[in-house]
Amino acid sequence: MRAVIQENQTLLLGDAALPKAAAGQLLIRVHAAGINRADLAQAAGRYPPPSGDSNILGLEVAGVVEALGEGVAGFAVGDEVLGLVGGGAYAELCLLESALAIKKPANLSFTDAASLPEVWMTAWFNLVEIGKLAAGQRVLIHAGASGVGAASIQLAKYLGAWVATTAGGAKKTEFCRQLGADLVVDYKQQDFAALIKEAGGVDLILDGVGGDYLAKNQACLNTDGQIVLIGLLRGISTEINLGQLLMKRQRLTGSTLRAQPLNVKARLAAALRDKIAPAIAAGQLKVTVDRVFNWQEAAIAHQYIADNQNIGKVLLQVI
């Protein structure tokens, strides 16, 4: 089959071995694949796939069932599906665990469908399951114009929270306002910690930035608040104020989705299928696709994200 492969530090279309569906798996003819910063990190050699998963890039897929592994129930050849994979989405064919497969809603295109799994499952996992976010609470979401950020702003508002977010530049801050954020801070021009403290602080922070944001996060986090760290765009090292952590009973939790066991991912897929997809169909939540690249342009698409040009999700059209 054809797939996006890495050669000499760039991404090119090449040949790869055909995958074969094992027990409990679906073989998917890929139509679209989502791009995530995890893909950029893997391409740079910093985020290898879990053992047993494909070395081909791509964590989100939408396409048509080509074949069924032994024991698969509830799906048939020809079904249009979407789902989260451990790798392999940048290819003509991809394996998807049936426990993570969701039948594509008829109102969504393949590219829209491929934009959902990673970002919405990440948002649900970290805001709902780890953060225990409830109506009336206050949350800060960094990188609000990213794919995960856009999903998280919407989900937090949908759950009845007060939402602050950070983004860089007029276009991105306006995008976040349109998603419903109550307070939007342009981190290029403003001190987010000072503005959020002035507004009353927050109970939960979803941080995909890391590095020196930790001190500012601690400063605007309320007593008994929690920081959930999901990314390291500003680096892996910083200082932590242990006195503030102790006296304000703050919690710092690291979180990744890719290495979670199948039962956890299946639970999140069920939330996407049963909670989020119906809300999207009802117009209560919305898909936020920024741009769709042909899969021959995978390297260009990666650079587009690396340069922070995207506002929302970026996709590859495979077929």
Side-chain angles (χ1 to χ4, degrees), residues 50 60 79 104 106 151 157 187 196 209 238 249 261 282 298:
E60 299 171 290
D79 283 347
K104 184 180 76 65
K157 289 300 296 181
Y187 69 83
I196 291 168
V209 179
T238 189
R249 302 187 297 274

Side-chain angles (χ1 to χ4, degrees), residues 280-301:
I280 291 173
Q284 298 167 303
L285 300 171
K286 65 180 182 179
V287 176
T288 54
V289 172
D290 173 81
R291 188 168 171 184
V292 180
F293 290 84
N294 186 283
W295 70 328
Q296 296 174 328
E297 302 173 307
I300 298 172

Side-chain angles (χ1 to χ4, degrees), residues 37-256:
R37 283 198 177 265
D39 301 337
L40 277 66
Q42 181 177 331
R46 300 193 304 271
Y47 194 36
S51 177
D53 284 323
S54 173
N55 289 321
I56 296 171
L57 298 172
L59 305 178
E60 299 171 290
V61 65
V64 177
V65 176
E66 183 101 344
L68 308 174
E70 183 180 354
V72 171
F75 295 94
V77 172
D79 283 347
E80 297 179 347
V81 297
L82 62 113
L84 184 75
V85 296
Y90 293 15
E92 289 181 315
L93 294 163
C94 177
L95 296 176
L96 172 62
E97 296 289 340
S98 61
L100 305 183
I102 300 167
K103 290 185 178 178
K104 184 180 76 65
N107 63 311
L108 295 182
S109 67
F110 282 110
T111 50
D112 283 351
S115 78
L116 301 181
E118 173 76 10
V119 296
W120 285 100
M121 290 167 66
T122 295
W124 187 275
F125 185 43
N126 292 292
L127 293 179
V128 177
E129 295 203 2
I130 294 176
K132 310 296 183 187
L133 185 65
Q137 290 187 311
R138 302 168 66 84
V139 61
L140 166 61
I141 295 162
H142 286 303
S146 67
V148 170
S152 298
I153 291 169
Q154 292 187 78
L155 180 59
K157 289 300 296 181
Y158 182 69
L159 296 173
W162 181 90
V163 179
T165 191
T166 59
K171 289 183 178 180
K172 291 188 176 184
T173 53
E174 179 57 28
F175 172 76
C176 294
R177 290 188 188 95
Q178 292 178 2
L179 292 178
D182 298 285
L183 173 63
V184 182
V185 180
D186 185 344
Y187 69 83
K188 294 183 177 180
Q189 306 290 336
Q190 300 169 297
D191 182 344
F192 76 80
L195 290 175
I196 291 168
K197 282 178 67 177
E198 182 181 334
V202 290
D203 308 305
L204 176 65
I205 299 175
L206 184 62
D207 182 12
V209 179
D212 59 1
Y213 267 37
L214 179 59
K216 292 185 175 184
N217 286 339
Q218 285 192 272
C220 61
L221 189 65
N222 293 332
T223 300
D224 291 317
Q226 183 179 19
I227 301 166
V228 181
L229 181 66
I230 63 169
L232 300 167
L233 290 177
R234 291 179 71 98
I236 64 173
S237 300
T238 189
E239 292 186 356
I240 184 169
N241 187 328
L242 293 177
Q244 200 165 46
L245 189 79
L246 179 68
M247 299 307 295
K248 294 179 72 175
R249 302 187 297 274
Q250 296 176 339
R251 287 165 291 149
L252 173 61
T253 304
S255 173
T256 61

Side-chain angles (χ1 to χ4, degrees), residues 2-8 10-15 295-296 298-299:
R2 301 290 281 168
V4 175
I5 59 175
Q6 191 164 0
E7 287 187 1
N8 300 322
T10 191
L11 302 176
L12 303 168
L13 281 185
D15 293 324
W295 70 328
Q296 296 174 328

